[in-house]
Amino acid sequence: MTELAETQINQHWSDIAAKAQSGDAAAYRTLLSDLVPVIRRSVIKSLPNPQNADDVVQEVLISVHKALHTYDPKRPFMPWVQSIINFRKTDYLRQHYAQRENMKLSLDDPDTPDYLVISGHNGSTKDIEDAFDALPDQQKKVVELMKIKGYSAEEVSKKTGMSVSAVKVSAHRALQKIRDRL
Amino acid sequence: MTDNDIDKTIDKLCDGLKPVKPCCPTRNGLLWILLVVCYTSAVALTIGFRENIAESMGREDYVFEIMLAFAIAISASLVTFWISIPGCDKRKKFMPVPLTLLAVQFAWMLERLYFEGIGDIRENWLSHCWMNTALHTTLPALAVILLVRKSGATVMPCWMATFALISVTEFGWIGMRLVCPRDNVGEAYLLNFLPYVVLGVFLGFVAKKLFRW
């Protein structure tokens, strides 16, 4: 995202928040509705059970409502709302882990959190091997030396005769290809 | 919880929307400081200044002590109000200011304690000083709690309680140094200052509940 676009987005948030502060219900509805995916995206990775994300989303919305008077429209909106999100998320996690049963994990039947499973993918290392095999030979060699054997870019450069920047670019492109394939 | 539930929550919140005026934590902080300075002066006048106040004001160590306490009180008060609202990241940078000054004060007290000794602390253990101390600080403490609860919504309740406590304590300390003629650091520190530290520890435990929003 360019700096200009980011500034415009920030300005948009600040504008609708200022309108909400002045009592504009339509702007307030837009603000809260637009915030829902932002909050959800922000909390979902940190929760032990992503199904509970909406509970936190609701808590955050209520907190935004209660703290609306503390927002200064001259300042950016996102840091303000992000600090509320972090606060409520921490609160939620504290309560969650305070319950004894949430601290236990059965080893007989471990529940893999949903976010660790990519839908439509069986999660097998075979897929990674296949993606790796599909790489061109040079990229395969670079990835093997840098990411599997742990050589530095300079060392790989000496071994392969490529320049250091070419090694870095090659490694980056190779990982991107593996990621796309998975 | 479904999207429907979230929509219902948004509907409910929109129905309950009332125009709000953005609060200004700096203004609230300065207002509180002004109130406390007036209150401390009024209490000191009511109790009566120490007899040797004129002579004390000519002593460098006494003036340094009062000025240091005042600097801590002012900076801690401002930080308290600044962190009473979310998204105060830029102002969090000021948090080390009162803490550093407080460390200087502790070092100064310890140095004096080393040279002056603890004094006749046992004889004055439950003296009128505690009453005066309570008089100096109870109302400012209540005022800061009410102001912060009313106009703020902190995401750092424990830190905020700590800074509020530091500011109330330092203003109380200044008040006591203006009225109490005893300059012995053991007595002054243990009777007029340490009780707040103990109270502060307990306050820390209830900070989250006290500043819940």
Side-chain angles (χ1 to χ4, degrees):
Chain A
M1 191 188 300
T2 64
E3 204 171 310
L4 180 67
E6 204 172 325
T7 313
Q8 282 172 343
I9 290 171
N10 281 335
Q11 191 55 48
H12 166 73
W13 284 113
S14 299
D15 288 345
I16 51 174
K19 281 181 189 167
Q21 282 182 326
S22 63
D24 184 338
Y28 192 43
R29 186 178 297 277
T30 310
L31 177 77
L32 296 180
S33 307
D34 289 355
L35 272 179
V36 171
V38 176
I39 304 166
R40 196 177 277 146
R41 202 166 49 235
S42 181
V43 300
I44 202 154
K45 282 182 190 167
S46 346
L47 296 180
N49 185 355
Q51 271 95 44
N52 296 340
D54 283 351
D55 289 340
V56 184
V57 170
Q58 202 174 30
E59 282 290 316
V60 174
L61 290 177
I62 294 168
S63 300
V64 166
H65 182 77
K66 284 182 185 170
L68 192 62
H69 67 287
T70 64
Y71 172 64
D72 179 357
K74 288 177 213 144
R75 289 169 176 273
F77 181 75
M78 268 305 142
W80 180 81
V81 86
Q82 193 59 52
S83 61
I84 294 178
I85 294 171
N86 292 340
F87 182 59
R88 287 301 173 214
K89 187 171 68 184
T90 312
D91 248 8
Y92 175 84
L93 289 173
R94 195 179 289 123
Q95 280 170 17
H96 177 80
Y97 287 114
Q99 291 166 3
R100 198 169 268 274
E101 61 268 25
N102 290 332
M103 293 163 75
K104 294 176 189 165
L105 176 67
S106 165
L107 294 177
D108 298 331
D109 181 24
D111 247 354
T112 310
D114 286 358
Y115 57 87
L116 291 181
V117 181
I118 302 165
S119 54
H121 174 251
N122 63 10
S124 157
T125 52
K126 180 87 172 57
D127 296 329
I128 301 172
E129 285 167 9
D130 289 346
F132 180 71
D133 285 340
L135 292 174
D137 286 346
Q138 197 184 37
Q139 286 184 352
K140 208 189 294 180
K141 193 170 183 185
V142 169
V143 170
E144 190 185 345
L145 288 170
M146 271 186 85
K147 304 295 174 186
I148 300 173
K149 293 187 176 168
Y151 287 103
S152 68
E154 286 79 10
E155 288 166 335
V156 176
S157 161
K158 280 178 193 161
K159 279 181 186 293
T160 56
M162 298 161 70
S163 69
V164 175
S165 56
V167 167
K168 286 179 184 170
V169 169
S170 184
H172 175 75
R173 286 185 182 155
L175 290 180
Q176 190 62 49
K177 275 184 194 166
I178 292 174
R179 208 173 290 135
D180 292 345
R181 208 176 157 89
L182 291 174
Chain B
M1 183 76 54
T2 61
D3 281 351
N4 265 347
D5 293 327
I6 290 178
D7 289 342
K8 276 182 201 165
T9 306
I10 292 175
D11 288 342
K12 221 179 267 180
L13 295 178
C14 289
D15 290 344
L17 179 69
K18 284 177 190 160
V20 286
K21 201 177 161 195
C23 73
C24 176
T26 308
R27 192 188 57 210
N28 289 342
L30 291 174
L31 174 72
W32 185 76
I33 290 168
L34 184 70
L35 285 174
V36 176
V37 168
C38 293
Y39 176 77
T40 304
S41 311
V43 170
L45 277 171
T46 311
I47 297 171
F49 285 105
R50 53 195 283 170
E51 288 163 7
N52 58 349
I53 185 80
E55 180 243 327
S56 302
M57 283 297 184
R59 272 170 35 214
E60 283 174 6
D61 61 331
Y62 183 79
V63 174
F64 172 74
E65 196 183 314
I66 297 285
M67 294 307 286
L68 182 62
F70 195 64
I72 299 171
I74 298 282
S75 54
S77 308
L78 287 173
V79 170
T80 302
F81 282 88
W82 284 339
I83 63 173
S84 72
I85 60 167
C88 52
D89 286 357
K90 280 188 181 170
R91 284 168 171 177
K92 270 196 243 172
K93 288 177 195 159
F94 290 95
M95 282 167 67
V97 175
L99 294 177
T100 308
L101 292 173
L102 192 67
V104 172
Q105 193 186 43
F106 270 115
W108 161 258
M109 296 291 181
L110 284 175
E111 192 254 346
R112 281 184 58 190
L113 203 61
Y114 178 75
F115 287 107
E116 293 175 21
I118 201 152
D120 51 354
I121 184 89
R122 280 173 184 277
E123 290 168 28
N124 295 295
W125 187 239
L126 275 173
S127 66
H128 63 279
C129 282
W130 278 25
M131 293 286 285
N132 291 348
T133 308
L135 193 62
H136 269 297
T137 54
T138 308
L139 279 179
L142 287 175
V144 73
I145 291 170
L146 287 176
L147 262 173
V148 162
R149 277 177 64 101
K150 190 173 174 289
S151 67
T154 185
V155 292
M156 296 193 287
C158 292
W159 274 114
M160 200 185 69
T162 305
F163 283 109
L165 178 86
I166 292 172
S167 56
V168 169
T169 307
E170 293 294 340
F171 276 122
W173 169 259
I174 294 169
M176 285 308 293
R177 298 295 288 137
L178 292 176
V179 297
C180 183
R182 292 175 186 273
D183 278 331
N184 179 273
V185 68
E187 188 178 342
Y189 194 54
L190 292 176
L191 288 182
N192 301 340
F193 196 83
L194 210 56
Y196 297 115
V197 179
V198 178
L199 273 178
V201 173
F202 288 107
L203 186 66
F205 288 118
V206 295
K208 279 186 193 135
K209 284 188 179 161
L210 196 61
F211 298 114
R212 190 189 291 270
W213 54 281

